[in-house]
Amino acid sequence: MIKPTDVEAPLVSYCPSNIYSLIPNKEASTVVNWTAPTFTDNVGVVSVDVFPLYSPGDTFQPGSVSMTYTAKDAENNKKECKFSITVRRQECRQPSDPDNGYLSCSNFGNQKFCSINCNKSKKTFKFMFGFIVSCEGNEVPDCVNYTSLSPGGSCSTGYVPQSGGFVQDTCVKCPRGMYYNNSSSTCEKCPVGFISTAEGSFKCEACPSMKSTEGEGSKICIEQCGVGKFSQTGLDLLGSLSPCIPCPLDTYQDMVGQKSCQQCPNGTRTHSIESKSSDDCGYAPVITQFGPSPTNAAQNKKVQFECYGNGKPLPTFYIEKVEGFGSLATRQYIYDEDKNLIGLRYIITAATGDDTGAYRCRLVNPFGEDTQYLTVTVQVDYITG
């Protein structure tokens, strides 16, 4: 048997892409999980070194870490897998100034208290002295046009009684994000995906394509997370509030505006982050049979061997002589009864001594590759004079 010289470095079957994670509000760190890289080698991987010494499931604080996995075989041939882990904190939302006014905020013990100041000739839609700032966000009433109640105690069309006060003597217009309902004479919030662009609106307008709102009563349309991404709101809130981030490894998202990603089915995984379809989920090739091995043949006779395997996506099949050149060979794809590719056949029509040696079958797809060897021995008849 001819043993190939081991000059080949290990191959990366799987290497994670860069990983991104958010630390929840009020937390100091977060747990980050990933699938460890895998390697193959024609002889065998003898060790895998990890630097720095983090493992899946470890706790990470804000910052970025560069991970390196190094595989070695018995001949000290090496192959590396590198990726980064980036963790950042999700910051508390800060309240925005109301339309036609501003906030005055000051610390109140461990909290922050804000009062609302309206421009001249404006009042808050809802009567409010002020509020304690909440990390989850505050609903700040806008400052709008107002008028007094009529002698009969009602508001004219387009106005509603100001709520929240001790004395009901003021009528106010509907702020942005709401509309005046003629049927009920009330201000109602615009539904999700709709906004009103001006104070006193009588209808809401739909957001443009690929945009939506955080919830009912929103004032602006925001970009939705595209396919392959997600956020806590499904929207791309800029800064560190809740931006769209790529779907992690082994997940995908084929819809826009989503708050999570779908897990790959049946134990499959993705080759990279930000996968956009279940078709991106797969697994590395596996050779199920390569033979017959060893293969013995007579000079000028037909030699044939076959390689079978599978993988997702369907791998590319290769059969090749490891060293030197052999006779001209024919390669035939092998299909099952459903016309699915399952293997490759290698045919030498008339074998010669040059065909003796090691042959390699390789299956390759984006998730990695698998390799097996067999040996062909051709019995050569020498004519002596």
Side-chain angles (χ1 to χ4, degrees):
M1 179 176 179
I2 299 176
K3 183 179 180 180
T5 302
D6 184 21
V7 295
E8 296 183 29
L11 299 171
V12 178
S13 297
Y14 172 70
C15 184
S17 296
N18 295 335
I19 298 170
Y20 303 89
S21 184
L22 288 175
I23 298 177
N25 290 328
K26 302 180 181 179
E27 299 293 334
S29 58
T30 188
V31 172
V32 179
N33 286 290
W34 65 92
T35 302
T38 56
F39 302 85
T40 60
D41 187 69
N42 59 316
V43 175
V45 175
V46 297
S47 67
V48 177
D49 297 327
V50 183
F51 182 82
L53 292 176
Y54 284 107
S55 300
D58 280 352
T59 299
F60 288 76
Q61 295 182 336
S64 184
V65 176
S66 297
M67 298 293 300
T68 302
Y69 284 66
T70 305
K72 301 177 184 177
D73 63 15
E75 298 297 326
N76 206 36
N77 298 311
K78 301 177 183 179
K79 189 69 175 182
E80 291 183 338
C81 161
K82 294 185 176 183
F83 61 96
S84 65
I85 300 174
T86 302
V87 174
R88 59 183 178 183
R89 190 180 305 282
Q90 182 178 348
E91 296 182 359
C92 290
R93 291 173 177 241
Q94 297 302 311
S96 300
D97 287 334
D99 286 356
N100 308 306
Y102 61 94
L103 296 176
S104 295
C105 300
S106 57
N107 292 327
F108 185 72
N110 294 326
Q111 298 177 312
K112 181 181 289 187
F113 179 83
C114 294
S115 59
I116 304 172
N117 303 275
C118 290
N119 297 343
K120 188 176 180 181
S121 74
K122 301 282 185 177
K123 283 190 176 183
T124 54
F125 172 69
K126 178 181 179 181
F127 183 82
M128 180 183 291
F129 286 111
F131 57 89
I132 298 293
V133 175
S134 168
C135 202
E136 284 69 35
N138 295 88
E139 186 173 341
V140 181
D142 286 323
C143 300
V144 294
N145 288 335
Y146 71 96
T147 187
S148 299
L149 282 169
S150 68
S154 62
C155 296
S156 58
T157 300
Y159 286 83
V160 298
Q162 184 190 46
S163 63
F166 298 104
V167 180
Q168 299 290 334
D169 61 355
T170 303
C171 297
V172 291
K173 278 195 170 184
C174 302
R176 286 195 307 140
M178 305 184 80
Y179 71 100
Y180 183 80
N181 187 324
N182 271 308
S183 300
S184 60
S185 299
T186 58
C187 291
E188 297 187 7
K189 293 181 178 181
C190 293
V192 174
F194 289 78
I195 60 170
S196 59
T197 57
E199 172 188 324
S201 295
F202 284 80
K203 66 177 182 179
C204 300
E205 302 175 0
C207 289
S209 176
M210 293 297 295
K211 290 188 176 184
S212 189
T213 59
E214 281 195 78
E216 296 180 342
S218 296
K219 303 177 185 178
I220 59 173
C221 297
I222 304 171
E223 291 285 347
Q224 293 178 295
C225 296
V227 292
K229 296 182 178 181
F230 76 105
S231 73
Q232 290 187 340
T233 62
L235 304 173
D236 193 12
L237 299 179
L238 301 180
S240 57
L241 291 178
S242 182
C244 296
I245 59 177
C247 287
L249 290 166
D250 307 337
T251 67
Y252 69 94
Q253 183 51 258
D254 54 7
M255 300 177 65
V256 301
Q258 298 303 301
K259 300 178 182 180
S260 63
C261 298
Q262 302 294 321
Q263 190 69 36
C264 283
N266 303 322
T268 56
R269 63 175 190 251
T270 59
H271 183 249
S272 61
I273 60 174
E274 201 173 333
S275 294
K276 301 176 175 62
S277 168
S278 60
D279 292 337
D280 295 329
C281 299
Y283 59 91
V286 176
I287 296 175
T288 57
Q289 179 183 338
F290 185 34
S293 179
T295 298
N296 299 311
Q299 185 176 9
N300 295 322
K301 297 296 183 180
K302 180 179 177 181
V303 179
Q304 175 177 307
F305 41 89
E306 299 170 348
C307 184
Y308 292 88
N310 55 70
K312 185 185 178 193
L314 188 68
T316 302
F317 286 74
Y318 301 94
I319 297 179
E320 55 199 354
K321 197 169 187 291
V322 176
E323 295 180 351
F325 297 95
S327 304
L328 185 64
T330 300
R331 294 170 176 83
Q332 296 178 347
Y333 288 115
I334 305 171
Y335 299 89
D336 63 14
E337 58 185 13
D338 296 322
K339 298 184 179 179
N340 298 311
L341 178 62
I342 59 173
L344 180 65
R345 182 178 294 117
Y346 190 92
I347 304 171
I348 303 171
T349 305
T352 69
D354 291 336
D355 297 311
T356 293
Y359 289 77
R360 172 173 52 211
C361 175
R362 287 196 307 136
L363 272 61
V364 182
N365 75 5
F367 291 92
E369 66 177 79
D370 194 13
T371 305
Q372 286 190 17
Y373 294 85
L374 62 72
T375 300
V376 173
T377 301
V378 179
Q379 183 64 45
V380 178
D381 296 327
Y382 294 97
I383 300 174
T384 60

